[in-house]
Amino acid sequence: MDSEKRLEYLSRVIRERGNRLTPQRLAILRALVDNDGHPSAEDIHKEILRDFPTTSLATVYKTITLLKDIGEILELGFGDDGSRFDGRKPYPHPHLICTQCGQILDSEVDNLDKLIDSLAFPNQFSVKTHRFDIFGLCSDCAQK
Ligand code: ZN
Ligand code: MN
């Protein structure tokens, strides 16, 4: 889904739920769907301040919480290092995480569901969700 379509979709879902869509909130949604770098709430806040200098970090968190409530954002929590968010692909998918620069990349694989089934099935485990993080160095950091 391209970011414009995704933004339209999220705006519609939020309105249909009876939540107000203020210009600030719309800007936060836009920043989330435009960013494929898995931003933190602070990253989004910094970006929003350019156009809406009075926006608080709490407002950013409120919008993220709203998206979490409707299952439209994926949160990647890293304990004390905080959380990063994917507002483009809210469903579980593998990530490549650079431990040097903190960059997080999406990576796709065809038969992930099959792999998960084959891990769970022998243990009669019923899968609700999954998280697949691969830690290492991105190509830029590996060259340094
Ligand atoms: Zn890196
Ligand atoms: Mn992602």
Side-chain angles (χ1 to χ4, degrees), residues 97-103 136-142 144:
I97 299 164
C98 180
T99 53
Q100 191 71 43
C101 69
Q103 184 175 190
L137 295 177
C138 71
S139 59
D140 286 344
C141 291
K144 279 173 199 159

Short mmCIF file of all heavy atoms in Angstrom, two decimals, residues 97-103 136-142 144, ligand 1:
data_model
loop_
_atom_site.label_atom_id
_atom_site.label_comp_id
_atom_site.label_asym_id
_atom_site.label_seq_id
_atom_site.Cartn_x
_atom_site.Cartn_y
_atom_site.Cartn_z
N ILE A 97 18.25 -5.29 12.22
CA ILE A 97 18.50 -4.19 13.16
C ILE A 97 19.99 -3.96 13.31
O ILE A 97 20.73 -4.86 13.72
CB ILE A 97 17.86 -4.52 14.53
CG1 ILE A 97 16.34 -4.68 14.34
CG2 ILE A 97 18.18 -3.43 15.55
CD1 ILE A 97 15.66 -5.37 15.49
N CYS A 98 20.45 -2.77 12.95
CA CYS A 98 21.88 -2.45 13.05
C CYS A 98 22.20 -2.01 14.49
O CYS A 98 21.64 -1.03 14.98
CB CYS A 98 22.29 -1.37 12.06
SG CYS A 98 24.05 -0.98 12.18
N THR A 99 23.08 -2.75 15.13
CA THR A 99 23.41 -2.45 16.53
C THR A 99 24.38 -1.28 16.65
O THR A 99 24.64 -0.79 17.74
CB THR A 99 24.05 -3.69 17.21
OG1 THR A 99 25.15 -4.13 16.41
CG2 THR A 99 23.04 -4.81 17.35
N GLN A 100 24.90 -0.82 15.49
CA GLN A 100 25.83 0.30 15.50
C GLN A 100 25.08 1.64 15.35
O GLN A 100 25.18 2.50 16.21
CB GLN A 100 26.83 0.13 14.34
CG GLN A 100 28.01 1.08 14.38
CD GLN A 100 28.98 0.73 15.49
OE1 GLN A 100 29.29 -0.44 15.72
NE2 GLN A 100 29.42 1.74 16.22
N CYS A 101 24.32 1.79 14.26
CA CYS A 101 23.66 3.08 13.99
C CYS A 101 22.17 3.07 14.35
O CYS A 101 21.52 4.11 14.32
CB CYS A 101 23.84 3.45 12.52
SG CYS A 101 22.94 2.41 11.37
N GLY A 102 21.64 1.91 14.68
CA GLY A 102 20.23 1.85 15.09
C GLY A 102 19.25 1.78 13.95
O GLY A 102 18.04 1.78 14.16
N GLN A 103 19.76 1.71 12.74
CA GLN A 103 18.88 1.59 11.59
C GLN A 103 18.10 0.28 11.64
O GLN A 103 18.64 -0.76 12.03
CB GLN A 103 19.76 1.64 10.32
CG GLN A 103 18.98 1.62 9.06
CD GLN A 103 19.85 1.80 7.81
OE1 GLN A 103 19.30 1.98 6.76
NE2 GLN A 103 21.17 1.75 7.93
N GLY A 136 22.72 -7.08 13.87
CA GLY A 136 24.02 -7.11 13.22
C GLY A 136 24.40 -5.73 12.74
O GLY A 136 23.98 -4.74 13.34
N LEU A 137 25.18 -5.68 11.67
CA LEU A 137 25.62 -4.39 11.14
C LEU A 137 25.03 -4.17 9.75
O LEU A 137 25.03 -5.08 8.93
CB LEU A 137 27.15 -4.35 11.04
CG LEU A 137 27.92 -4.43 12.36
CD1 LEU A 137 29.43 -4.45 12.08
CD2 LEU A 137 27.57 -3.26 13.28
N CYS A 138 24.52 -2.95 9.51
CA CYS A 138 24.03 -2.61 8.18
C CYS A 138 25.24 -2.49 7.24
O CYS A 138 26.39 -2.47 7.70
CB CYS A 138 23.23 -1.31 8.21
SG CYS A 138 24.21 0.18 8.48
N SER A 139 24.99 -2.39 5.95
CA SER A 139 26.10 -2.41 4.99
C SER A 139 27.03 -1.21 5.21
O SER A 139 28.26 -1.34 5.08
CB SER A 139 25.59 -2.46 3.56
OG SER A 139 24.77 -1.35 3.30
N ASP A 140 26.48 -0.05 5.56
CA ASP A 140 27.33 1.14 5.82
C ASP A 140 28.23 0.90 7.02
O ASP A 140 29.44 1.17 6.97
CB ASP A 140 26.46 2.37 6.10
CG ASP A 140 25.82 2.91 4.84
OD1 ASP A 140 26.28 2.54 3.74
OD2 ASP A 140 24.86 3.70 4.95
N CYS A 141 27.66 0.43 8.11
CA CYS A 141 28.42 0.22 9.34
C CYS A 141 29.44 -0.90 9.19
O CYS A 141 30.52 -0.85 9.77
CB CYS A 141 27.50 -0.04 10.52
SG CYS A 141 26.53 1.43 10.98
N ALA A 142 29.10 -1.91 8.40
CA ALA A 142 30.02 -3.05 8.21
C ALA A 142 31.28 -2.61 7.47
O ALA A 142 32.34 -3.20 7.64
CB ALA A 142 29.32 -4.17 7.46
N LYS A 144 32.77 0.28 7.83
CA LYS A 144 33.61 1.21 8.61
C LYS A 144 34.69 0.46 9.40
O LYS A 144 34.48 -0.65 9.83
CB LYS A 144 32.74 2.03 9.55
CG LYS A 144 32.08 3.20 8.82
CD LYS A 144 31.08 3.91 9.75
CE LYS A 144 30.09 4.75 8.93
NZ LYS A 144 28.87 5.03 9.66
ZN ZN B 1 24.34 0.76 10.75
#
